[in-house]
Coordinates of all heavy atoms in Angstrom, one line a residue:
M1043 N 114.7 95.3 85.9 CA 113.6 95.8 86.7 C 114.1 96.9 87.6 O 115.2 97.0 88.0 CB 113.0 94.7 87.6 CG 112.5 93.5 86.8 SD 111.1 93.9 85.9 CE 109.8 93.8 87.1
E1044 N 113.1 97.8 87.9 CA 113.5 98.9 88.8 C 112.4 99.1 89.8 O 111.2 99.1 89.5 CB 113.6 100.2 88.0 CG 114.1 101.4 88.8 CD 114.3 102.7 88.1 OE1 114.0 102.7 86.8 OE2 114.7 103.6 88.7
L1045 N 112.8 99.2 91.1 CA 111.9 99.4 92.2 C 111.7 100.9 92.4 O 112.7 101.6 92.5 CB 112.5 98.7 93.4 CG 111.6 98.6 94.7 CD1 110.3 97.8 94.4 CD2 112.4 98.0 95.8
K1046 N 110.5 101.3 92.6 CA 110.2 102.7 92.7 C 109.2 103.0 93.8 O 108.3 102.1 94.0 CB 109.7 103.3 91.4 CG 110.6 103.4 90.3 CD 109.9 104.0 89.1 CE 110.9 104.1 87.9 NZ 110.2 104.6 86.7
V1047 N 109.2 104.1 94.4 CA 108.1 104.6 95.3 C 107.6 105.8 94.6 O 108.3 106.8 94.4 CB 108.6 104.9 96.7 CG1 107.5 105.6 97.5 CG2 109.0 103.6 97.4
K1048 N 106.3 105.8 94.3 CA 105.6 107.0 93.8 C 105.3 107.9 95.0 O 104.3 107.6 95.7 CB 104.3 106.6 93.1 CG 104.6 105.9 91.8 CD 103.3 105.4 91.1 CE 103.1 104.0 91.4 NZ 101.8 103.4 91.0
Q1049 N 106.2 108.9 95.3 CA 106.0 109.6 96.5 C 104.8 110.4 96.6 O 104.3 110.8 97.7 CB 107.3 110.5 96.7 CG 108.5 109.6 97.1 CD 109.5 110.4 97.9 OE1 109.8 111.6 97.6 NE2 110.2 109.8 98.9
E1050 N 104.2 110.8 95.4 CA 102.9 111.5 95.5 C 101.8 110.6 96.1 O 100.8 111.2 96.5 CB 102.5 112.0 94.1 CG 102.2 111.0 93.1 CD 103.4 110.4 92.3 OE1 104.5 110.6 92.8 OE2 103.2 109.7 91.3
A1051 N 102.0 109.3 96.0 CA 101.0 108.4 96.6 C 101.3 107.9 98.0 O 100.5 107.5 98.7 CB 100.8 107.2 95.7
C1052 N 102.6 108.1 98.4 CA 103.0 107.6 99.7 C 102.4 108.4 100.8 O 102.5 109.7 100.8 CB 104.5 107.6 99.8 SG 105.2 107.1 101.4
I1053 N 101.9 107.8 101.9 CA 101.4 108.5 103.0 C 102.2 108.3 104.3 O 101.9 108.7 105.4 CB 99.9 108.0 103.3 CG1 99.9 106.5 103.6 CG2 99.0 108.4 102.2 CD1 98.5 106.0 104.1
G1054 N 103.4 107.7 104.1 CA 104.4 107.6 105.2 C 103.9 106.7 106.3 O 104.3 106.8 107.4
C1055 N 103.2 105.6 105.9 CA 102.7 104.7 107.0 C 103.8 103.8 107.6 O 103.6 103.4 108.7 CB 101.6 103.9 106.4 SG 102.2 102.5 105.3
G1056 N 104.8 103.6 106.8 CA 106.0 102.8 107.4 C 105.9 101.3 107.1 O 106.8 100.6 107.5
A1057 N 104.9 100.9 106.5 CA 104.7 99.4 106.3 C 105.9 98.9 105.4 O 106.5 97.8 105.8 CB 103.4 99.1 105.6
C1058 N 106.3 99.6 104.4 CA 107.4 99.0 103.5 C 108.7 99.1 104.3 O 109.5 98.1 104.2 CB 107.5 99.8 102.2 SG 107.8 101.6 102.5
V1059 N 108.9 100.1 105.0 CA 110.2 100.2 105.8 C 110.3 99.1 106.8 O 111.3 98.5 107.1 CB 110.3 101.6 106.4 CG1 111.6 101.8 107.3 CG2 110.2 102.7 105.4
A1060 N 109.1 98.8 107.5 CA 109.1 97.8 108.5 C 109.3 96.4 107.8 O 110.0 95.5 108.4 CB 107.8 97.8 109.2
N1061 N 108.7 96.2 106.7 CA 108.7 94.8 106.0 C 110.0 94.6 105.3 O 110.4 93.5 105.1 CB 107.5 94.7 105.1 CG 106.3 94.3 105.8 OD1 106.2 93.4 106.6 ND2 105.2 95.1 105.5
D1062 N 110.6 95.7 104.8 CA 111.8 95.5 104.0 C 112.8 96.7 104.1 O 112.9 97.5 103.2 CB 111.4 95.3 102.5 CG 112.5 94.9 101.6 OD1 113.7 94.8 102.1 OD2 112.3 94.7 100.4
P1063 N 113.4 96.7 105.3 CA 114.4 97.8 105.5 C 115.6 97.8 104.6 O 116.3 98.8 104.5 CB 114.7 97.7 107.0 CG 114.4 96.2 107.3 CD 113.3 95.8 106.4
A1064 N 115.8 96.7 103.9 CA 116.9 96.6 103.0 C 116.7 97.4 101.7 O 117.6 97.8 101.0 CB 117.2 95.2 102.6
H1065 N 115.4 97.7 101.4 CA 115.1 98.4 100.2 C 114.4 99.7 100.4 O 114.4 100.5 99.4 CB 114.1 97.5 99.3 CG 114.8 96.3 98.7 ND1 114.7 95.1 99.2 CD2 115.6 96.2 97.6 CE1 115.4 94.2 98.5 NE2 116.0 94.9 97.5
F1066 N 113.8 100.0 101.5 CA 113.0 101.2 101.7 C 113.5 101.9 103.0 O 113.8 101.3 104.0 CB 111.5 100.9 101.9 CG 111.0 100.2 100.7 CD1 110.8 98.8 100.7 CD2 110.6 100.9 99.6 CE1 110.3 98.1 99.6 CE2 110.0 100.2 98.5 CZ 109.9 98.8 98.5
E1067 N 113.5 103.2 102.9 CA 113.9 104.1 104.0 C 113.1 105.4 103.9 O 112.7 105.8 102.8 CB 115.4 104.4 103.9 CG 116.1 104.7 105.1 CD 117.6 104.9 104.8 OE1 118.0 105.9 104.3 OE2 118.4 103.9 105.1
F1068 N 112.8 106.0 105.1 CA 112.1 107.3 105.1 C 113.1 108.3 104.7 O 114.3 108.3 105.1 CB 111.6 107.6 106.4 CG 110.3 106.9 106.8 CD1 110.2 106.2 108.0 CD2 109.2 106.9 105.9 CE1 109.0 105.5 108.3 CE2 108.1 106.2 106.2 CZ 107.9 105.6 107.4
D1069 N 112.7 109.3 103.9 CA 113.5 110.5 103.6 C 113.2 111.6 104.6 O 112.4 111.3 105.6 CB 113.3 111.0 102.2 CG 111.9 111.5 101.9 OD1 111.2 111.7 102.8 OD2 111.6 111.7 100.7
E1070 N 113.8 112.7 104.5 CA 113.7 113.7 105.5 C 112.2 114.3 105.6 O 111.9 114.9 106.5 CB 114.7 114.9 105.3 CG 114.6 115.6 104.0 CD 115.3 114.8 102.8 OE1 116.0 113.7 103.1 OE2 115.2 115.2 101.7
Q1071 N 111.4 114.0 104.5 CA 110.0 114.4 104.6 C 109.1 113.4 105.2 O 107.9 113.6 105.2 CB 109.6 114.8 103.1 CG 110.3 116.0 102.6 CD 110.1 116.1 101.1 OE1 110.0 115.1 100.4 NE2 110.1 117.3 100.6
G1072 N 109.7 112.3 105.6 CA 108.9 111.2 106.2 C 108.2 110.4 105.1 O 107.2 109.6 105.5
L1073 N 108.7 110.4 103.9 CA 108.1 109.6 102.9 C 109.1 108.5 102.5 O 110.3 108.7 102.6 CB 107.8 110.4 101.6 CG 106.7 111.5 101.8 CD1 106.6 112.3 100.6 CD2 105.4 110.9 102.3
S1074 N 108.6 107.4 102.0 CA 109.5 106.2 101.7 C 110.2 106.5 100.4 O 109.6 107.0 99.5 CB 108.7 105.0 101.6 OG 109.5 103.9 101.1
H1075 N 111.4 106.0 100.3 CA 112.1 106.0 99.0 C 113.0 104.7 99.0 O 113.3 104.1 100.0 CB 112.9 107.3 98.8 CG 114.2 107.4 99.6 ND1 115.4 107.8 99.2 CD2 114.3 107.3 101.0 CE1 116.3 107.8 100.2 NE2 115.7 107.5 101.3
V1076 N 113.4 104.4 97.8 CA 114.1 103.1 97.5 C 115.6 103.4 97.7 O 116.1 104.4 97.2 CB 113.8 102.6 96.1 CG1 114.7 101.4 95.8 CG2 112.3 102.3 95.9
I1077 N 116.2 102.5 98.5 CA 117.6 102.7 98.8 C 118.5 101.6 98.1 O 119.7 101.6 98.2 CB 117.9 102.7 100.3 CG1 117.3 101.4 101.0 CG2 117.3 103.9 100.9 CD1 117.8 101.3 102.4
S1078 N 117.9 100.6 97.5 CA 118.7 99.5 96.9 C 117.9 98.9 95.7 O 116.7 98.7 95.8 CB 119.0 98.4 97.9 OG 119.5 97.3 97.3
Q1079 N 118.6 98.6 94.7 CA 118.0 97.8 93.5 C 118.5 96.4 93.5 O 118.4 95.7 92.5 CB 118.4 98.5 92.2 CG 117.8 100.0 92.1 CD 116.3 100.0 92.0 OE1 115.6 99.1 91.6 NE2 115.8 101.2 92.4
E1080 N 119.1 95.9 94.6 CA 119.6 94.6 94.7 C 118.5 93.6 95.1 O 117.6 94.0 95.8 CB 120.7 94.5 95.7 CG 121.9 95.4 95.4 CD 122.7 95.0 94.2 OE1 123.0 93.8 94.1 OE2 123.0 95.9 93.4
N1081 N 118.6 92.3 94.7 CA 117.7 91.3 95.2 C 116.2 91.7 95.1 O 115.4 91.5 96.0 CB 117.9 91.0 96.7 CG 119.3 90.4 96.9 OD1 119.8 89.6 96.1 ND2 120.0 90.8 97.9
L1082 N 115.8 92.1 93.9 CA 114.4 92.6 93.7 C 113.4 91.5 93.7 O 112.2 91.7 93.7 CB 114.3 93.4 92.4 CG 115.1 94.8 92.5 CD1 114.9 95.5 91.2 CD2 114.8 95.6 93.7
D1083 N 113.9 90.2 93.6 CA 112.9 89.1 93.6 C 112.8 88.5 95.1 O 112.2 87.5 95.2 CB 113.3 88.0 92.7 CG 114.8 87.6 92.9 OD1 115.5 88.2 93.8 OD2 115.2 86.6 92.2
S1084 N 113.2 89.3 96.1 CA 113.1 88.7 97.4 C 111.7 88.8 97.9 O 110.9 89.6 97.5 CB 114.0 89.5 98.4 OG 113.4 90.7 98.8
E1085 N 111.4 87.9 98.9 CA 110.1 87.9 99.5 C 109.7 89.2 100.2 O 108.6 89.6 100.2 CB 110.0 86.7 100.5 CG 109.8 85.3 99.9 CD 108.5 85.3 99.0 OE1 107.4 85.7 99.5 OE2 108.6 84.8 97.9
N1086 N 110.7 89.8 100.8 CA 110.5 91.1 101.5 C 110.0 92.1 100.6 O 109.2 93.0 100.9 CB 111.7 91.5 102.2 CG 112.0 90.7 103.5 OD1 111.2 89.9 103.9 ND2 113.1 90.9 104.1
V1087 N 110.5 92.2 99.3 CA 110.0 93.2 98.4 C 108.6 93.0 98.1 O 107.8 93.9 98.1 CB 110.9 93.1 97.1 CG1 110.3 94.1 96.0 CG2 112.3 93.6 97.3
K1088 N 108.2 91.7 97.8 CA 106.8 91.4 97.5 C 105.9 91.7 98.7 O 104.8 92.3 98.5 CB 106.7 89.9 97.2 CG 107.2 89.5 95.9 CD 106.9 88.0 95.7 CE 108.0 87.4 94.8 NZ 108.2 86.0 95.0
T1089 N 106.4 91.4 99.9 CA 105.6 91.7 101.1 C 105.4 93.2 101.2 O 104.3 93.7 101.5 CB 106.3 91.2 102.4 OG1 106.5 89.8 102.2 CG2 105.4 91.4 103.6
A1090 N 106.5 94.0 101.0 CA 106.4 95.4 101.1 C 105.4 96.0 100.1 O 104.6 96.8 100.4 CB 107.8 96.0 100.9
I1091 N 105.5 95.5 98.8 CA 104.5 96.0 97.8 C 103.1 95.7 98.2 O 102.2 96.5 98.1 CB 104.9 95.3 96.4 CG1 106.2 95.9 95.9 CG2 103.8 95.6 95.4 CD1 106.8 95.1 94.7
E1092 N 102.9 94.4 98.7 CA 101.5 94.0 99.1 C 101.0 94.8 100.3 O 99.8 95.0 100.5 CB 101.5 92.5 99.3 CG 101.5 91.7 98.0 CD 101.9 90.3 98.3 OE1 101.9 89.8 99.4 OE2 102.2 89.6 97.3
S1093 N 102.0 95.2 101.1 CA 101.6 95.8 102.4 C 101.3 97.3 102.2 O 100.7 98.0 103.1 CB 102.6 95.7 103.4 OG 103.8 96.5 103.1
C1094 N 101.6 97.9 101.1 CA 101.4 99.3 100.9 C 99.9 99.7 100.7 O 99.3 99.2 99.7 CB 102.2 99.8 99.7 SG 102.0 101.6 99.5
P1095 N 99.4 100.4 101.6 CA 97.9 100.7 101.5 C 97.5 101.6 100.3 O 96.3 101.6 100.0 CB 97.6 101.4 102.8 CG 98.9 102.0 103.3 CD 100.0 101.1 102.7
T1096 N 98.5 102.3 99.7 CA 98.1 103.2 98.6 C 98.7 102.7 97.3 O 98.7 103.5 96.3 CB 98.6 104.6 98.9 OG1 100.0 104.6 99.1 CG2 98.0 105.2 100.2
S1097 N 99.2 101.5 97.3 CA 99.9 101.0 96.0 C 100.9 102.0 95.5 O 101.0 102.2 94.3 CB 98.8 100.7 95.0 OG 97.9 99.8 95.5
A1098 N 101.7 102.6 96.4 CA 102.7 103.5 96.0 C 104.0 102.9 95.4 O 104.8 103.6 94.8 CB 103.0 104.5 97.1
I1099 N 104.1 101.6 95.7 CA 105.4 100.9 95.3 C 105.2 100.2 94.0 O 104.2 99.5 93.8 CB 105.8 99.9 96.4 CG1 105.9 100.6 97.7 CG2 107.1 99.3 96.0 CD1 106.1 99.7 98.9
A1100 N 106.1 100.4 93.1 CA 106.0 99.7 91.8 C 107.4 99.1 91.5 O 108.4 99.6 91.8 CB 105.7 100.8 90.7
L1101 N 107.2 97.9 90.9 CA 108.4 97.2 90.3 C 108.2 97.2 88.8 O 107.3 96.5 88.3 CB 108.4 95.8 90.9 CG 109.7 94.9 90.7 CD1 110.9 95.7 91.3 CD2 109.5 93.6 91.5
E1102 N 109.0 98.0 88.1 CA 108.8 98.2 86.7 C 110.0 97.8 85.9 O 111.1 97.7 86.3 CB 108.6 99.7 86.5 CG 107.4 100.3 87.2 CD 107.2 101.8 87.1 OE1 108.2 102.4 86.6 OE2 106.2 102.3 87.4
E1103 N 109.6 97.5 84.6 CA 110.7 97.3 83.6 C 111.4 98.6 83.5 O 110.9 99.7 83.6 CB 110.0 97.0 82.2 CG 109.2 95.7 82.2 CD 110.0 94.4 82.3 OE1 111.2 94.5 82.0 OE2 109.5 93.4 82.7
N1104 N 112.7 98.5 83.2 CA 113.5 99.7 83.0 C 112.9 100.5 81.8 O 112.7 100.0 80.7 CB 115.0 99.3 82.7 CG 115.7 98.9 83.9 OD1 115.2 99.1 85.0 ND2 116.8 98.3 83.7
E1105 N 112.7 101.8 82.1 CA 112.0 102.6 81.1 C 112.9 103.0 79.9 O 112.4 103.2 78.9 CB 111.5 103.9 81.8 CG 110.3 103.6 82.6 CD 109.8 104.9 83.3 OE1 110.3 106.0 83.0 OE2 108.9 104.8 84.2
E1106 N 114.2 103.0 80.2 CA 115.0 103.5 79.1 C 115.2 102.5 77.9 O 115.6 102.9 76.9 CB 116.4 103.9 79.6 CG 117.3 102.8 80.2 CD 117.0 102.6 81.7 OE1 116.0 103.1 82.2 OE2 117.9 102.1 82.3
C1107 N 114.8 101.3 78.2 CA 115.0 100.3 77.2 C 113.6 100.0 76.5 O 112.7 99.6 77.1 CB 115.5 99.0 77.7 SG 115.6 97.7 76.5
H1108 N 113.6 100.2 75.2 CA 112.4 99.9 74.4 C 112.5 98.7 73.5 O 111.7 98.4 72.7 CB 111.9 101.2 73.6 CG 111.6 102.3 74.5 ND1 110.6 102.3 75.4 CD2 112.3 103.5 74.8 CE1 110.6 103.4 76.1 NE2 111.6 104.1 75.7
C1109 N 113.7 98.1 73.6 CA 113.9 96.8 73.0 C 113.7 96.7 71.5 O 113.5 95.6 70.9 CB 113.0 95.8 73.6 SG 113.8 95.3 75.2
E1110 N 113.8 97.8 70.8 CA 113.9 97.7 69.3 C 115.3 97.3 68.9 O 115.4 96.7 67.8 CB 113.5 99.1 68.7 CG 112.1 99.5 68.9 CD 111.1 98.6 68.2 OE1 111.4 98.2 67.1 OE2 110.0 98.2 68.8
H1111 N 116.3 97.7 69.6 CA 117.6 97.6 69.1 C 118.6 96.9 70.0 O 119.7 96.9 69.9 CB 118.2 99.0 68.9 CG 117.3 99.9 68.0 ND1 117.2 99.6 66.7 CD2 116.6 100.9 68.3 CE1 116.3 100.5 66.2 NE2 115.9 101.3 67.2
C1112 N 118.0 96.2 71.0 CA 118.9 95.5 71.9 C 118.3 94.1 72.2 O 117.2 93.8 71.8 CB 119.2 96.2 73.2 SG 117.9 96.0 74.5
D1113 N 119.1 93.3 72.9 CA 118.8 91.9 73.2 C 118.3 91.7 74.6 O 118.2 90.5 75.0 CB 120.0 91.0 73.0 CG 120.5 91.1 71.5 OD1 119.6 91.4 70.7 OD2 121.6 90.7 71.3
C1114 N 117.9 92.7 75.3 CA 117.7 92.5 76.8 C 116.5 91.6 77.1 O 116.4 91.0 78.1 CB 117.6 93.8 77.5 SG 116.0 94.6 77.2
H1115 N 115.5 91.5 76.2 CA 114.4 90.6 76.5 C 114.5 89.2 75.9 O 113.6 88.4 76.1 CB 113.1 91.3 76.0 CG 112.6 92.4 76.9 ND1 111.4 93.0 76.7 CD2 113.1 92.9 78.0 CE1 111.2 93.9 77.6 NE2 112.2 93.9 78.4
K1116 N 115.6 89.0 75.2 CA 115.7 87.6 74.7 C 116.2 86.6 75.7 O 116.9 87.0 76.6 CB 116.8 87.6 73.5 CG 116.3 88.3 72.3 CD 117.3 88.1 71.2 CE 116.8 88.7 69.9 NZ 117.8 88.7 68.8
E1117 N 115.7 85.4 75.7 CA 116.1 84.4 76.6 C 117.6 84.1 76.2 O 118.0 84.2 75.1 CB 115.3 83.1 76.4 CG 113.8 83.3 76.7 CD 113.6 83.6 78.1 OE1 114.4 83.2 79.0 OE2 112.5 84.2 78.4
E1118 N 118.3 83.6 77.2 CA 119.7 83.2 76.9 C 119.7 82.0 75.9 O 118.9 81.1 76.0 CB 120.4 82.7 78.2 CG 121.0 83.9 79.0 CD 121.8 83.4 80.2 OE1 122.4 82.4 80.1 OE2 121.7 84.1 81.2
G1119 N 120.6 82.1 75.0 CA 120.7 81.1 74.0 C 120.0 81.4 72.7 O 120.2 80.7 71.7
E1120 N 119.2 82.4 72.7 CA 118.5 82.8 71.4 C 119.5 83.4 70.4 O 120.4 84.0 70.8 CB 117.4 83.8 71.7 CG 116.1 83.1 71.9 CD 115.0 84.1 72.1 OE1 115.1 85.2 71.5 OE2 114.0 83.8 72.7
Ligands
SF4_1309 S1 104.0 101.2 102.6 FE1 103.4 102.7 100.9 S2 102.4 104.4 101.9 FE2 103.5 103.2 103.5 S3 105.5 104.3 103.7 FE3 105.7 102.6 102.2 S4 105.4 103.5 100.2 FE4 104.5 104.9 101.7

């Protein structure tokens, strides 16, 4: 999974930075960006995503993997 901020949608309200400073930080333009891909299942990440008024935060599957040729989507033991 990859945590992203769509900066074209971010209005710099600060809700994500306040709710989850471990994952979000303002850049020099006053827009939020992601600073960590660790602990993406934490409650703070969910709270930050839910708190964003413009739905600018996305938690996405890794785009580079299309799973035709690798095992990344298989359960362990398959
Ligand atoms: S909560 Fe959304 S709009 Fe507000 S700073 Fe974070 S990403 Fe931007």
Side-chain angles (χ1 to χ4, degrees):
M1043 299 295 281
E1044 185 178 2
L1045 186 63
K1046 292 182 179 174
V1047 172
K1048 291 174 259 173
Q1049 288 204 322
E1050 67 276 12
C1052 176
I1053 57 172
C1055 75
C1058 59
V1059 178
N1061 281 308
D1062 190 358
H1065 289 100
F1066 302 96
E1067 205 173 76
F1068 283 130
D1069 65 14
E1070 59 280 355
Q1071 294 164 330
L1073 299 176
S1074 172
H1075 70 133
V1076 173
I1077 55 170
S1078 170
Q1079 298 292 336
E1080 304 289 317
N1081 298 320
L1082 294 184
D1083 54 356
S1084 80
E1085 280 301 313
N1086 284 352
V1087 173
K1088 283 183 212 154
T1089 304
I1091 291 170
E1092 286 164 10
S1093 71
C1094 179
T1096 61
S1097 302
I1099 304 168
L1101 193 54
E1102 297 177 347
E1103 300 287 340
N1104 284 347
E1105 284 179 10
E1106 66 268 22
C1107 179
H1108 299 291
C1109 281
E1110 293 293 321
H1111 307 291
C1112 83
D1113 295 339
C1114 76
H1115 280 187
K1116 286 188 179 174
E1117 300 292 335
E1118 272 185 39
E1120 266 187 28

